Amino acid sequence: MDPYKFRPSSAYNSPFFTTNSGAPVWNNNSSLTVDARGPILLEDYHLVEKLAQFDCERIPERVVHARGASAKGFFEVTHDITHLTCADFLRAPGVQTPLIVRFSTVIHERGSPETLRDPRGFAVKFYTREGNFDMVGNNFPVFFIRDGIKFPDMVHALKPNPKTHIQEKWRILDFFSHHPESLNMFTFLFDDLGIPLNYRHMEGSGVHTFTLVNKTGKATYVKFHWKPTCGVKCLVGEEAVIVGGSNHSHATKDLYDSIAAGNYPEWKLFIQTMDPADEDKYEFDPLDVTKTWPEDMFPLQPVGRMVLNKNIDNFFAENEMLAFCPALIVPGVYYTDDKLLQTRIFSYADTQRHRLGPNYLLLPVNAPKCGHHNNHHEGFMNFMHRDEEVNYFPSRFDLVRHAEKTPIPSHTISGCREKTIIKKENNFAEPGARYRSWAPDRQQRFVDQWMSALSDDRVTHEVRNIWISYWSQADKSLGQRIATGLNSKSNM
């Protein structure tokens, strides 16, 4: 019998219980003891293995995006964009690519309710013929910070107090009072969009600016946007309390039940594009993730559709061990100098190696579905079978060669080494315009959210005034409404 023929799989089950090594277990109900009363013997290997395996059942929880749900499906190109990119999976209308998607909350823990106010992760892994492309984004098109060096502090502020293990508003408002760049993100988080109805009724965004490169090497800046065909719906007021109180996994259940019933969720993919030569012409920095690109200047262009038509087979194998990294791109797609993206290129893969081990990309859910070859081997939990004698490059005994060169953006970079912020901050204009675009009732709900947050007993007078000043600079009437409301509450 070929020992490498069968990989571990539940499809190759024995009809009776065995140990991990395949030895039959004749009694899985009783420990081996001295007489009927015991004590238990250490030589009961099955007992020891069973307990030890159970003790190691949980892997480290994700620091962020711990609570999530996944589904599988396909992406189909509907519009030709080969003038923008040489990416194989976008080569022609009608081309389909298998994929898996993971939706998630961001800050809260693995077992937390899915109705809490929080950004939602929207991560898509395309299994292309040229390797995996991970489009790792959120349901909002902007982010709290523009430089990844702030990310650990930001997450610490949003996470529970390390002393009490309670998420507390004063800590969040204290941290972000130092970062007015966060105002635009808060117009999404404290808006109705802060609590989606479920995962099917929310938009997705790549957040970052990426680069598309065509076969001639021409580069184009791009932003990715997912639009649900069933529309955007949210939970407002007490709706979230009622839904979360009846089922803390309501969004996971909705996604699973919809697919099982044949009501397949679908999103349209749109892009916005910009010529990199024009990036200095605007009042905002196009690589600043705290800003959106105005759609009247950069209209949405349709690209394709994503359909989720298959539920995952196992939650642990295809959700907990599913690992995304924005560094995973394919020819025809490239990075930009976006400061947050540049740090995520390193940080995500580093996190996955900690959570899942150095060979996490060998796990079936993460492995590419195309042929792949390199000399990375051994290490913890490496289960790839290798019988090659040559594990170095180059070699006259191994005919593997370099792939054909693919174009990447090329431009001359010059400047001084320095730690600095971008020049075009412009932190207040877009949040103010967004607030003024809402209906009065939606504006009032936003004001109520801020009054509630700023009424926290541990929010200092200084921090409260900073936030009123910020919102006044975004929209004078908004700052006045918050200040007036807080004064009324304090006089009650």
Side-chain angles (χ1 to χ4, degrees):
M1 178 178 174
D2 182 355
Y4 300 107
K5 183 176 181 181
F6 297 103
R7 297 177 67 179
S9 169
S10 59
Y12 188 57
N13 276 344
S14 162
F16 46 78
F17 266 90
T18 73
T19 64
N20 284 347
S21 63
V25 173
W26 69 272
N27 187 336
N28 192 38
N29 295 316
S30 302
S31 303
L32 183 64
T33 61
V34 177
D35 204 5
R37 295 291 305 277
I40 293 174
L41 296 177
L42 187 60
E43 69 186 60
D44 188 348
Y45 174 77
H46 170 58
L47 167 68
V48 173
E49 179 185 78
K50 185 176 182 180
L51 293 178
Q53 187 78 30
F54 175 77
D55 294 343
C56 302
E57 235 173 52
R58 293 293 178 263
I59 60 176
E61 180 177 292
R62 290 172 170 89
V63 177
V64 288
H65 300 279
R67 173 63 138 131
S70 303
K72 295 182 280 192
F74 65 88
F75 175 78
E76 181 180 16
V77 180
T78 56
H79 292 73
D80 186 359
I81 60 167
T82 53
H83 61 293
L84 297 173
T85 179
C86 60
D88 177 75
F89 80 104
L90 298 172
R91 64 189 178 275
V95 171
Q96 291 189 357
T97 301
L99 54 75
I100 187 168
V101 179
R102 187 174 189 269
F103 306 105
S104 58
T105 59
V106 176
I107 291 301
H108 304 289
E109 297 161 321
R110 187 155 49 194
S112 58
E114 293 177 306
T115 49
L116 298 178
R117 185 172 298 275
D118 200 18
R120 293 327 192 248
F122 196 119
V124 184
K125 186 183 294 290
F126 298 82
Y127 298 109
T128 87
R129 302 193 305 182
E130 295 181 308
N132 291 352
F133 171 41
D134 285 4
M135 191 185 293
V136 188
N138 288 331
N139 66 323
F140 302 151
V142 294
F143 200 62
F144 292 105
I145 54 172
R146 57 171 69 99
D147 191 326
I149 197 170
K150 302 176 185 178
F151 193 83
D153 296 294
M154 181 202 75
V155 172
H156 287 167
L158 289 165
K159 285 283 190 179
N161 184 325
K163 181 177 181 179
T164 64
H165 199 66
I166 299 171
Q167 187 186 40
E168 295 170 341
K169 293 176 182 177
W170 69 268
R171 289 165 36 84
I172 299 170
L173 298 179
D174 174 36
F175 174 78
F176 286 112
S177 71
H178 298 275
H179 302 293
E181 68 203 64
S182 66
L183 259 68
N184 207 12
M185 181 66 165
F186 277 111
T187 63
F188 288 87
L189 182 62
F190 278 23
D191 178 33
D192 296 347
L193 297 176
I195 309 178
L197 175 64
N198 50 50
Y199 295 132
R200 291 185 299 123
H201 289 88
M202 71 180 194
E203 296 181 339
S205 172
V207 181
H208 300 286
T209 300
F210 287 86
T211 306
L212 295 179
V213 188
N214 68 15
K215 61 183 179 181
T216 67
K218 178 176 173 51
T220 303
Y221 283 162
V222 64
K223 278 186 175 288
F224 299 106
H225 301 277
W226 296 103
K227 304 289 184 180
T229 58
C230 59
V232 175
K233 296 181 182 179
C234 307
L235 295 170
V236 297
E238 292 298 307
E239 291 176 340
V241 176
I242 296 170
V243 172
S246 62
N247 182 0
H248 76 293
S249 299
H250 84 285
T252 297
K253 185 177 188 301
D254 174 83
L255 180 66
Y256 188 94
D257 289 350
S258 296
I259 295 174
N263 181 23
Y264 302 140
E266 181 176 335
W267 285 260
K268 304 291 187 183
L269 177 64
F270 295 86
I271 58 174
Q272 291 176 289
T273 60
M274 178 191 298
D275 188 335
D278 295 337
E279 65 176 304
D280 294 328
K281 295 181 178 180
Y282 308 104
E283 294 181 353
F284 63 96
D285 187 327
L287 306 186
D288 180 356
V289 294
T290 69
K291 304 291 185 294
T292 61
W293 293 3
E295 292 184 17
D296 58 342
M297 300 170 61
F298 308 96
L300 295 175
Q301 306 170 48
V303 176
R305 69 187 187 114
M306 174 174 68
V307 179
L308 301 182
N309 59 1
K310 188 177 188 304
N311 280 311
I312 57 176
D313 299 314
N314 179 270
F315 188 84
F316 180 76
E318 295 181 296
N319 184 285
E320 291 304 295
M321 294 204 298
L322 175 57
F324 292 91
C325 176
L328 300 187
I329 56 175
V330 291
V333 181
Y334 206 72
Y335 319 115
T336 63
D337 294 335
D338 171 347
K339 287 187 176 184
L340 186 63
L341 174 60
Q342 291 281 317
T343 55
R344 293 177 78 206
I345 289 170
F346 160 76
S347 185
Y348 273 60
D350 190 52
T351 296
Q352 306 301 357
R353 293 186 189 103
H354 165 68
R355 269 197 344 113
L356 301 171
N359 291 301
Y360 76 95
L361 288 176
L362 295 182
L363 294 168
V365 71
N366 299 321
K369 308 311 175 193
C370 60
H372 54 287
H373 181 112
N374 57 50
N375 293 321
H376 306 327
H377 62 94
E378 301 179 1
F380 289 113
M381 300 304 292
N382 188 318
F383 51 86
M384 176 181 285
H385 171 56
R386 298 176 66 100
D387 60 6
E388 295 89 354
E389 294 182 283
V390 175
N391 59 352
Y392 49 86
F393 179 88
S395 169
R396 292 182 175 85
F397 296 95
D398 186 350
L399 299 181
V400 67
R401 64 190 187 279
H402 286 126
E404 292 183 16
K405 184 178 180 180
T406 55
I408 62 173
S410 178
H411 59 277
T412 302
I413 301 174
S414 63
C416 301
R417 289 189 178 96
E418 56 183 334
K419 289 198 170 193
T420 185
I421 60 175
I422 66 171
K423 295 179 180 179
K424 298 178 181 178
E425 287 199 78
N426 198 8
N427 295 318
F428 305 107
E430 192 173 332
R434 180 170 162 75
Y435 168 78
R436 288 188 292 275
S437 72
W438 295 336
D441 60 331
R442 189 171 177 180
Q443 289 182 344
Q444 186 59 53
R445 288 192 293 271
F446 184 76
V447 170
D448 291 344
Q449 285 294 329
W450 275 99
M451 286 173 52
S452 173
L454 292 170
S455 297
D456 187 288
D457 291 340
R458 294 191 64 179
V459 174
T460 65
H461 184 70
E462 178 188 15
V463 170
R464 192 173 291 120
N465 283 344
I466 288 172
W467 280 106
I468 292 172
S469 171
Y470 283 166
W471 288 118
S472 296
Q473 292 177 73
D475 182 273
K476 187 175 181 180
S477 67
L478 171 57
Q480 289 175 339
R481 290 178 67 179
I482 295 173
T484 301
L486 288 172
N487 288 333
S488 297
K489 288 189 71 171
S490 63
N491 293 330
M492 290 176 64

